[in-house]
């Protein structure tokens, strides 16, 4: 494989070196950034990645805040040299839509950096902290002859210390904490027998990693798993003893592009940028052969043939993704009934028709169909992954819809699942009950849509339909059990989001404890099923004298108002306002102040407050298109809704 | 690989690493002669040399490489059958 090919799911570039040199000739920094981003989405080795990063840093300086990418400040706390890992992490961030600003704490001084309230680390104020303590430093030093009990006790001590560092990082900076899990790379004294001797370094590191992983789950710390990652390409690719002895570099320079991508995908996931939907082609992707030509009997699927088993394994992987909350869609150039027939009638199919949330099979171009799928599912195009064995179809989607991820499908179907898995499009930072139920919710939603169309066709009456849904809303303060789901909504909701403020789980817990804040998590049920928590509102007591006359009367400022697009058009917003107004009144507020901060994705809610009867009090207060609104509570009457509101408001 | 070819590839490595298309190197060029050639850069250059020339530089050979000329001689030695 050489030094390229580590990011095998990305397309290759014919003359990368020339393309990189050509960057310097692009005058306009915006145009240069677009070109740099496009290059970042291709396979580059570590030398090319370094060059691209230098062009990026120069361009960033020219564009400053106007980049428009979500930003994250990452602090590196390590016991080895990591400076050479920073450029490829930045480039990988760009690839995944994130601007990563890094601070590297002085070599092996992570404890001091954390404990000193006036350190450069403290002044950097990180939003994410990566602990990269190399495994042979983290694991305790024990004699080869140590007993299992001695080893356990020594490990316990080390793990406790690490946990207190995590707790400190999180408490001090309200930050995301990521712990790098790395394998033992010391030479083996026993061979295979190492794993039977508790004091052998391989055993001690393995046991330490096991304890760390368990502690991370308890302390809600994320793991950067280099044990699994390095197993794939091998230790010789990842770890070079010459680099270690010369410069205390744990990670070999050649593998830094892949390392950077592993870090960036975790940060992007934490910022809600992971993909949500997998769009699958059918012929030669989910099965071998072309159903329109070969008929049902001619398809290669299962039945003990190598290719057949490979396609089936890929179907099972798609189902595993669905089980963890990824939405599946189909986009195929086929007659609709012919394509659907395979799902309904082929005995070897693992994926059933109702596993697919959006099924499009026709003779239109795939770019149009991908847009239709996004609209039908109410998901952004930038949350889609498009998997197709046909390079021509892939090229069309890359050209027409550059925000859609299109992996380079390998020639051999045996490698399809691995390609998707290693590309890391769906990196997770949580696994909530909502994730588990997502497929059902999409199915329920499809039924609601059917019901709605039928009701309108029958009575011409949306009100009648809404009443027939028997909707029930439960609004309460943030409770511990739902903190991950609230964090997920806050991190991932981009369209129905008035101010797009991002908060960590720690921030959310702090808000829940603040008696002067109004925090609402809103759950919606109807006759078709339980939608789960679909809206989050945060309001704070208004300080300062912005807002003029309203401020003098005592007001609550709505800091955050977001809602899942799945429940648009049902009056949920009005019902939430009723709850919010009552909660504010109970705290003696006489007005509610709202704010709209425009982003490329939330034009949908530009007139949200107008529709709810707020008065616009200021325009463009925070840049063009922004607005502030006020609603006097004295004369506010609950708006009529077809929703029964249950449950007390916040405690 | 003959000497002019080695210099051509090495020059490309240096120009890419220092982002300077006008950079020239000679037998006597040392770290002090190029702005920004610090220890971090040095590791990157060595890694690039290994990757581009397909050679492996041993721990014992690193300290001995003080100038571009030292690099060229090492590459020639490793390329000889």
């Amino acid at each position: 494989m050489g030094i390229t090919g580590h990011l095998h799911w990305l397309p290759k570039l014919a003359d990368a070196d020339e393309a990189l040199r050509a960057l310097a000739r692009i005058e306009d920094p915006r145009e240069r950034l677009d070109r740099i981003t496009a290059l970042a989405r291709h396979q580059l080795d570590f030398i090319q990645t370094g060059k691209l990063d230098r062009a990026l840093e120069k361009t960033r300086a020219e564009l400053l805040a106007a980049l428009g990418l979500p930003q994250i400040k990452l602090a590196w706390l390590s016991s080895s040299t990591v400076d050479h890992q920073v450029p490829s992490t930045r480039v990988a961030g760009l690839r995944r839509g994130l601007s990563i600003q890094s601070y590297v704490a002085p070599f092996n001084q992570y404890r001091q950096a954390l404990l000193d309230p006036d350190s450069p680390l403290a002044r950097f104020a990180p939003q994410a902290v990566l602990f990269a303590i190399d495994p042979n430093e983290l694991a305790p030093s024990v004699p080869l002859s140590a007993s299992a009990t001695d080893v356990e006790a020594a490990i316990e001590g080390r793990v406790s210390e690490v946990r207190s560092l995590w707790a400190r990082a999180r408490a001090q900076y309200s930050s995301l904490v990521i712990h790098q899990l790395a394998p033992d790379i010391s030479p083996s004294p026993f061979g295979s027998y190492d794993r039977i001797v508790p004091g052998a370094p391989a055993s001690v590191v393995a046991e330490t990693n096991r304890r760390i992983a368990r502690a991370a789950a308890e302390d809600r710390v994320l793991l950067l798993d280099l044990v699994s990652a390095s197993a794939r390409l091998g230790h010789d690719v990842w770890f070079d003893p010459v680099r270690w002895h010369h410069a205390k570099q744990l990670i070999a320079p050649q593998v830094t592009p892949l390392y950077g991508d592993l870090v960036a995908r975790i940060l992007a996931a934490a910022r809600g940028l992971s993909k949500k939907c997998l769009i699958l082609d059918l012929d030669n992707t989910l099965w071998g052969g072309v159903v329109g030509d070969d008929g049902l009997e001619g398809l290669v699927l299962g039945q003990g043939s190598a290719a057949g088993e490979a396609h089936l394994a890929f179907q099972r992987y798609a189902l595993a993704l669905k089980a963890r909350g990824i939405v599946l869609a189909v986009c195929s150039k086929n007659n609709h009934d012919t394509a659907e027939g395979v799902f309904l009638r082929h005995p070897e199919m693992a994926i059933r028709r109702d596993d697919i949330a959006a099924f499009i099979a026709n003779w239109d171009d795939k770019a149009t169909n991908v847009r239709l799928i996004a609209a039908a599912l109410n998901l952004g195009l930038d949350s889609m992954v498009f998997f197709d064995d046909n390079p021509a179809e892939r090229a069309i989607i890359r050209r027409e819809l550059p925000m859609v991820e299109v992996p380079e499908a390998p020639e051999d179907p045996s490698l399809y699942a691995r390609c998707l898995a290693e590309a890391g499009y769906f990196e997770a930072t949580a696994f909530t009950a909502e994730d588990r139920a997502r497929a059902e919710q999409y199915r329920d939603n499809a039924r609601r849509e059917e019901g709605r169309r039928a009701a309108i066709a029958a009575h011409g009456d949306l009100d009648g339909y809404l009443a027939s849904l028997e909707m029930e809303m439960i609004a309460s303060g943030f409770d511990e059990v739902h903190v991950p789901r609230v964090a997920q909504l806050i991190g991932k909701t981009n369209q129905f989001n008035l101010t797009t403020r991002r908060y960590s789980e720690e921030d959310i817990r702090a808000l829940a404890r603040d008696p002067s804040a109004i925090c609402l998590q809103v759950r919606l049920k109807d006759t078709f099923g339980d939608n789960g928590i679909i809206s989050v509102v945060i309001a704070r007591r208004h300080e300062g004298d912005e807002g003029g006359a309203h401020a003098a009367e005592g007001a609550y400022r709505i800091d955050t108002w977001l809602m899942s697009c799945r429940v648009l058009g049902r009056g949920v917003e009005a019902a939430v306002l009723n709850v919010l107004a009552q909660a504010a009144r109970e705290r003696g507020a006489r007005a509610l102040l709202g704010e709209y901060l425009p982003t490329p994705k939330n034009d949908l809610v530009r007139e949200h407050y107008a529709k709810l009867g707020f008065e616009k009090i200021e325009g463009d207060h925070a840049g063009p298109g922004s607005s502030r609104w006020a609603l006097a509570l004295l004369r506010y009457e609950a708006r009529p809704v077809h929703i029964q509101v249950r449950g007390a408001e916040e405690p | 690989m003959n000497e002019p070819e080695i210099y051509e590839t090495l020059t490309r490595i240096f120009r890419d690493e220092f982002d300077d298309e006008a950079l020239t190197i000679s037998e006597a060029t040392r770290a002090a002669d190029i702005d920004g050639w610090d220890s971090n850069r040095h590791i990157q250059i060595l890694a690039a040399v290994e990757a581009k020339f397909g050679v492996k530089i041993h721990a014992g050979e690193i300290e001995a490489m003080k100038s571009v000329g030292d690099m060229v001689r090492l590459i020639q030695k490793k390329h000889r059958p």
Side-chain angles (χ1 to χ4, degrees):
Chain A
M1 201 188 250
I3 57 167
T4 54
H6 293 166
L7 305 175
H8 50 83
W9 57 90
L10 299 175
K12 291 190 182 148
L13 203 55
D15 190 351
D17 291 316
E18 177 47 41
L20 289 165
R21 278 192 287 276
L23 283 173
R25 299 194 284 270
I26 303 176
E27 295 264 339
D28 175 36
R30 273 193 184 280
E31 205 187 304
R32 199 182 319 128
L33 179 65
D34 284 342
R35 186 72 187 123
I36 291 171
T37 309
L39 290 178
R41 297 167 140 246
H42 290 76
Q43 291 192 38
L44 298 173
D45 66 35
F46 71 101
I47 301 162
Q48 293 160 339
T49 304
K51 210 169 153 57
L52 190 63
D53 179 66
R54 285 190 286 281
L56 173 61
E57 284 304 275
K58 231 189 322 193
T59 307
R60 187 202 300 267
E62 289 173 68
L63 286 178
L64 294 169
L67 280 182
L69 287 177
Q71 317 242 348
I72 191 162
K73 291 201 283 185
L74 172 66
W76 300 68
L77 300 184
S78 66
S79 60
S80 59
T81 303
V82 297
D83 302 76
H84 62 304
Q85 295 161 219
V86 172
S88 50
T89 304
R90 258 196 298 262
V91 169
L94 188 66
R95 181 182 308 131
R96 291 182 183 268
L98 196 60
S99 169
I100 301 175
Q101 204 190 330
S102 285
Y103 167 75
V104 177
F107 178 80
N108 216 4
Q109 290 185 48
Y110 50 91
R111 283 182 200 85
Q112 298 91 310
L114 270 177
L115 295 173
D116 176 5
D118 199 30
S119 60
L121 172 66
R123 275 174 271 130
F124 176 70
Q127 293 155 312
V129 175
L130 172 59
F131 283 91
I133 307 169
D134 76 84
N136 296 91
E137 144 104 3
L138 176 63
S141 216
V142 295
L144 266 184
S145 54
S147 70
T149 335
D150 290 341
V151 171
E152 243 178 70
I155 290 177
E156 216 33 67
R158 285 300 173 96
V159 173
S160 291
E161 203 220 330
V162 169
R163 288 176 97 158
S164 67
L165 293 174
W166 292 345
R168 188 155 195 113
R170 159 176 276 146
Q172 218 140 287
Y173 309 113
S174 195
S175 65
L176 181 65
V177 176
I178 306 170
H179 187 96
Q180 179 173 296
L181 218 57
D184 169 42
I185 51 169
S186 59
S188 153
F190 291 99
S192 289
Y193 200 71
D194 272 350
R195 297 305 299 270
I196 299 188
V197 177
S203 295
V204 177
V205 171
E207 187 57 28
T208 306
N209 281 345
R210 221 177 50 80
R211 296 299 181 91
I212 292 274
R214 208 170 61 195
E218 286 168 26
D219 296 357
R220 296 207 56 80
V221 161
L222 293 176
L223 294 174
L224 170 61
D225 185 0
L226 299 188
V227 175
S228 305
S230 62
R232 251 168 253 126
L233 290 177
H235 284 189
D236 290 346
V237 172
W238 273 82
F239 312 111
D240 182 345
V242 179
R243 305 276 172 249
W244 178 254
H245 296 308
H246 178 206
K248 290 286 175 287
Q249 283 185 347
L250 177 68
I251 309 293
Q254 63 184 5
V255 82
T256 50
L258 178 55
Y259 176 90
D261 200 77
L262 295 176
V263 174
R265 62 180 73 165
I266 295 176
L267 295 175
R271 272 283 188 268
L273 300 172
S274 279
K275 307 304 158 182
K276 303 178 187 174
C277 174
L278 174 61
I279 302 177
L280 295 160
D281 172 47
L282 294 180
D283 294 318
N284 288 315
T285 299
L286 285 193
W287 53 74
V290 175
V291 63
D293 297 335
D294 305 331
L296 218 63
E297 330 70 48
L299 295 184
V300 177
L301 184 63
Q303 288 153 344
S305 89
E309 291 300 325
H311 284 288
L312 205 50
F314 184 54
Q315 288 196 16
R316 291 200 190 99
Y317 183 62
L319 288 176
L321 289 174
K322 181 196 160 214
R324 54 145 291 200
I326 304 302
V327 179
L328 299 182
V330 159
C331 178
S332 172
K333 281 233 174 91
N334 248 310
N335 169 278
H336 182 274
D337 293 338
T338 309
E340 212 175 34
V342 184
F343 286 79
L344 302 173
R345 288 184 286 279
H346 197 295
E348 296 283 329
M349 283 291 285
I351 300 181
R352 295 181 329 258
R353 172 62 183 91
D354 70 354
D355 289 320
I356 306 294
F359 192 106
I360 301 204
N362 58 35
W363 299 103
D364 291 338
D365 71 282
K366 290 206 177 188
T368 301
N369 284 332
V370 168
R371 284 198 186 90
L372 281 176
I373 290 171
L377 296 174
N378 247 322
L379 288 172
L381 283 165
D382 60 357
S383 62
M384 306 272 154
V385 176
F386 177 82
F387 195 97
D388 196 313
D389 70 292
N390 187 331
E393 298 288 8
R394 296 200 295 266
I396 289 171
I397 299 296
R398 282 194 193 122
R399 192 183 62 229
E400 300 295 316
L401 302 172
M403 69 292 277
V404 171
E405 291 287 357
V406 183
E408 276 293 83
E411 296 259 342
D412 184 348
S414 316
L415 301 175
Y416 283 174
R418 190 193 299 185
C419 171
L420 260 190
E422 291 185 13
Y425 297 119
F426 306 111
E427 191 79 12
T429 53
F431 184 31
T432 63
E434 244 87 3
D435 291 323
R436 286 187 270 273
R438 186 156 297 124
E440 266 78 76
Q441 290 179 348
Y442 273 88
R443 198 175 42 221
D444 293 345
N445 234 36
R447 287 197 206 121
R448 284 187 196 97
E449 265 309 292
E450 294 286 306
R452 191 180 69 89
R453 275 193 280 265
I456 292 175
H459 321 282
D461 171 19
L462 187 60
D463 274 330
Y465 165 70
L466 289 179
S468 74
L469 281 179
E470 290 172 36
M471 291 182 281
E472 191 184 317
M473 171 188 286
I474 301 140
S476 67
F478 299 156
D479 56 27
E480 182 56 39
V481 151
H482 292 106
V483 164
R485 172 57 180 161
V486 169
Q488 190 179 59
L489 275 171
I490 286 178
K492 287 178 156 192
T493 308
N494 297 312
Q495 296 181 85
F496 198 115
N497 194 331
L498 271 299
T499 50
T500 319
R501 294 195 171 103
R502 307 294 190 191
Y503 294 112
S504 66
E505 286 191 13
E506 276 317 300
D507 293 328
I508 291 164
R509 287 189 184 95
L511 280 162
R513 287 192 295 268
D514 180 353
S516 73
I518 300 175
C519 301
L520 295 178
Q521 67 186 37
V522 179
R523 184 184 205 96
L524 187 71
K525 296 185 187 184
D526 60 36
T527 50
F528 287 100
D530 183 352
N531 288 273
I533 293 175
I534 42 78
S535 183
V536 171
V537 176
I538 299 169
R540 303 188 200 236
R541 202 175 284 282
H542 180 62
E543 313 287 348
D545 62 10
E546 326 144 356
H550 297 278
E553 300 166 16
Y556 260 78
R557 183 175 55 81
I558 304 169
D559 170 282
T560 293
W561 189 328
L562 55 86
M563 193 175 83
S564 166
C565 283
R566 280 187 272 134
V567 298
L568 276 171
R570 303 219 228 142
V572 173
E573 305 90 303
V576 168
L577 179 59
N578 290 345
V579 174
L580 179 60
Q582 181 165 351
R585 267 209 280 240
E586 282 173 9
R587 281 168 169 68
R590 300 173 75 171
L592 279 176
L593 301 176
E595 188 179 15
Y596 169 65
L597 297 176
T599 71
K601 298 186 183 173
N602 73 348
D603 194 62
L604 175 67
V605 289
R606 199 163 28 94
E607 298 298 322
H608 166 78
Y609 285 116
K611 290 182 203 162
L612 291 176
F614 282 62
E615 190 192 307
K616 187 167 177 179
I617 55 175
E618 197 183 340
D620 301 337
H621 69 288
S626 58
S627 50
R628 292 175 64 234
W629 305 76
L631 181 73
L633 288 175
L634 208 58
R635 274 164 277 108
Y636 178 75
E637 273 172 31
R639 298 174 85 84
V641 288
H642 292 289
I643 304 174
Q644 191 179 59
V645 179
R646 249 192 52 207
E649 320 89 324
E650 67 307 323
Chain B
M1 221 185 200
N2 63 41
E3 212 177 273
E5 284 170 340
I6 294 179
Y7 267 99
E8 197 186 313
T9 307
L10 257 185
T11 304
R12 179 63 7 236
I13 290 176
F14 273 79
R15 284 183 175 169
D16 280 346
E17 187 55 43
F18 291 100
D19 232 346
D20 180 359
E21 285 300 310
L23 191 67
T24 51
I25 51 170
S26 71
E27 206 265 346
T29 309
R30 292 168 164 266
D33 302 327
I34 301 184
D35 208 11
W37 187 348
D38 55 22
S39 51
N40 278 333
R41 274 294 166 74
H42 191 63
I43 299 164
Q44 288 297 108
I45 291 168
L46 293 184
V49 164
E50 286 189 338
K52 293 281 188 195
F53 290 101
V55 298
K56 194 82 187 69
I57 301 169
H58 303 148
E61 291 164 336
I62 292 176
E63 262 79 46
M65 268 193 299
K66 300 254 189 297
S67 68
V68 166
D70 293 332
M71 278 185 199
V72 172
R73 277 183 283 282
L74 189 86
I75 293 164
Q76 278 175 320
K77 186 175 95 177
K78 297 211 175 231
H79 258 277
R80 207 165 288 147

